[in-house]
Amino acid sequence: MKKPLFLLLIILQVGLSSCNKTDETDDTVEPIQTDISVSSSESLISWLNYSDLMQKLENAISYNYGNALENETEKQQNFNTDTTQVIATLNFKSAFQNIYNDTNPANNSVTIDLEKNESVELRADGPGNTYALITSVLAPGYNPIEAPDCSHNAFGEHIDELFDNDLNTNVFRFYIHTTPDDDRCINFDRQRNEIKSYDQSPDNLLGVENEKVNYQWKFKLNAGFQSSPKFTHLHQLKSVGGELASHPMYTLTTRKGSPDRLELRYGETDSSVILMQTELAPFIDNWLEVSETIEYGTNGTYAIEIKKVSNGEVLLTYSNASIINWRPNADFVRPKWGIYRSLEHTEDLRDEEVLFADFIITEID
């Protein structure tokens, strides 16, 4: 009688053991088969500065997450020591490496070559020797400054430098007085205080046909800034040579109105049109950062963006992928910055101090 009972216990034990094995098998989850990958639309990226590089990488790099969720993966960008190359990678986070099986890990990285465009920079370095500093960058040994000193020599130099607490750096201050300032003792119905590149400047400060150039700078119009109903130019791109040299190609100008406005103007010939205009008030009493990119040629491109330094808010943006940026018989194009305004309505004007900082000129290609 004991032997059958012993056999029954063995059978039960084998059965239970078999059930346990089955349960263990059911609890085992096979990894999910998927293919995650990273790719780039560019093999070489030319960049101006860190923010420009990050934006271009964001535009170029694409990620494919397969059957996974984005937050289950980890993206990295590894730069070499001289920032001439970056390797972008996509892998599973450690917590999900047992859940997924990447069927093609070979496409989990992409290599992009990087080329930093050389720039010419003009930055204020503190009070004193301001004209010498400007000249040393824009036209060494010559005179790239068009100031009203000759008609107002009692005041002295009309551009100086001071420390700005908002930017936490030194900046340039451009003075203009309703009287007696004029336009270099040449024109008396207008007044000018500008800096420029010109035919005595280094070649990399002159825009030539089929060249692409980026201009960057910061500026600030003080509270209560007053504009002429005629023109108050803050920036110009002017061609040199040919019959149309006297008329600016692109101009940023403020204009008195209801309300006062900021205009972006374009002149293909000897007359100009407004490409964009907007109310001036948001620009007043704020440090503004400008990036302007132009491809010089009869089938050129143009783009400009103006944003607040404090929070990055974009106040003006315009772009055109096909526009005439070269005039017949032109030799080159030069940039100008400062304040250049009409004196036809002096009752609308006051003495002004316009601040500028961090001029950067970069030949892109």
Side-chain angles (χ1 to χ4, degrees):
M1 295 296 294
K2 290 182 178 179
K3 188 174 183 179
L5 178 60
F6 176 73
L7 291 174
L8 180 59
L9 289 173
I10 291 175
I11 293 170
L12 288 172
Q13 186 176 2
V14 170
L16 289 172
S17 176
S18 176
C19 288
N20 289 339
K21 288 182 179 179
T22 301
D23 291 344
E24 288 176 3
T25 302
D26 291 344
D27 289 342
T28 301
V29 178
E30 292 291 334
I32 299 172
Q33 305 296 307
T34 191
D35 179 21
I36 61 173
S37 63
V38 58
S39 60
S40 175
S41 60
E42 305 288 344
S43 59
L44 173 66
I45 290 178
S46 297
W47 56 287
L48 305 174
N49 50 45
Y50 179 78
S51 61
D52 179 57
L53 175 58
M54 292 299 101
Q55 184 62 57
K56 287 182 175 177
L57 287 173
E58 182 179 347
N59 294 339
I61 298 174
S62 300
Y63 298 93
N64 172 30
Y65 306 104
N67 295 323
L69 299 176
E70 181 179 355
N71 61 11
E72 296 173 332
T73 64
E74 183 175 38
K75 295 177 283 190
Q76 290 186 333
Q77 294 177 1
N78 298 309
F79 297 86
N80 62 356
T81 54
D82 59 0
T83 320
T84 59
Q85 194 175 78
V86 61
I87 300 176
T89 60
L90 179 67
N91 291 293
F92 290 110
K93 293 179 179 177
S94 57
F96 299 94
Q97 289 176 359
N98 293 328
I99 296 177
Y100 295 99
N101 179 43
D102 190 356
T103 58
N104 184 19
N107 61 13
N108 285 14
S109 69
V110 64
T111 301
I112 305 170
D113 292 324
L114 304 174
E115 181 179 70
K116 189 176 191 306
N117 293 297
E118 294 300 321
S119 302
V120 176
E121 300 184 3
L122 172 58
R123 299 181 188 273
D125 60 6
N129 301 314
T130 300
Y131 280 20
L133 171 62
I134 295 170
T135 298
S136 70
V137 175
L138 295 184
Y142 294 93
N143 182 22
I145 301 167
E146 298 179 339
D149 297 352
C150 63
S151 61
H152 195 183
N153 53 28
F155 180 78
E157 295 182 345
H158 279 64
I159 306 174
D160 66 4
E161 299 166 75
L162 74 161
F163 186 83
D164 183 83
N165 291 321
D166 291 334
L167 293 185
N168 195 33
T169 191
N170 292 296
V171 302
F172 296 101
R173 174 169 50 185
F174 287 58
Y175 291 98
I176 201 75
H177 309 92
T178 53
T179 184
D181 294 353
D182 56 32
D183 181 10
R184 301 161 294 166
C185 296
I186 300 172
N187 301 304
F188 304 95
D189 62 341
R190 63 197 63 192
Q191 48 190 194
R192 183 194 306 267
N193 188 11
E194 294 182 312
I195 61 175
K196 65 182 181 181
S197 65
Y198 71 126
D199 58 1
Q200 302 298 332
S201 299
D203 288 345
N204 57 354
L205 298 183
L206 306 177
V208 297
E209 192 171 11
N210 299 319
E211 181 179 58
K212 193 173 186 179
V213 183
N214 176 258
Y215 303 97
Q216 294 176 286
W217 70 96
K218 298 182 181 76
F219 74 100
K220 182 180 180 181
L221 306 176
N222 288 332
F225 181 85
Q226 294 179 207
S227 304
S228 165
K230 295 290 287 185
F231 64 87
T232 306
H233 296 342
L234 302 172
H235 166 64
Q236 301 175 72
L237 290 177
K238 297 191 70 175
S239 62
V240 175
E243 296 179 357
L244 301 173
S246 63
H247 194 79
M249 186 182 300
Y250 290 93
T251 308
L252 275 178
T253 192
T254 70
R255 197 177 302 275
K256 178 181 174 62
S258 299
D260 291 354
R261 59 190 183 271
L262 178 70
E263 298 176 351
L264 172 64
R265 303 185 69 90
Y266 165 72
E268 180 183 334
T269 58
D270 57 356
S271 61
S272 62
V273 296
I274 298 174
L275 296 178
M276 174 165 285
Q277 62 181 349
T278 186
E279 186 174 346
L280 183 62
F283 295 82
I284 300 295
D285 204 27
N286 286 297
W287 270 107
L288 306 162
E289 185 174 11
V290 187
S291 178
E292 179 184 44
T293 303
I294 181 168
E295 184 175 358
Y296 292 109
T298 53
N299 185 25
T301 63
Y302 180 84
I304 188 170
E305 179 184 83
I306 304 178
K307 62 184 180 181
K308 288 184 180 180
V309 172
S310 60
N311 59 11
E313 179 187 357
V314 176
L315 299 180
L316 183 146
T317 182
Y318 174 85
S319 64
N320 193 317
S322 180
I323 191 167
I324 296 174
N325 288 334
W326 198 254
R327 291 169 167 174
N329 301 315
D331 297 321
F332 59 86
V333 178
R334 65 183 184 183
K336 305 188 77 175
W337 295 276
I339 182 165
Y340 172 43
R341 64 186 184 180
S342 169
L343 285 173
E344 188 170 328
H345 299 278
T346 54
E347 69 277 7
D348 294 313
L349 305 178
R350 67 171 192 177
D351 294 350
E352 297 286 357
E353 298 176 10
V354 181
L355 304 181
F356 285 89
D358 302 340
F359 300 98
I360 304 174
I361 301 175
T362 307
E363 291 183 342
I364 298 175
D365 51 44

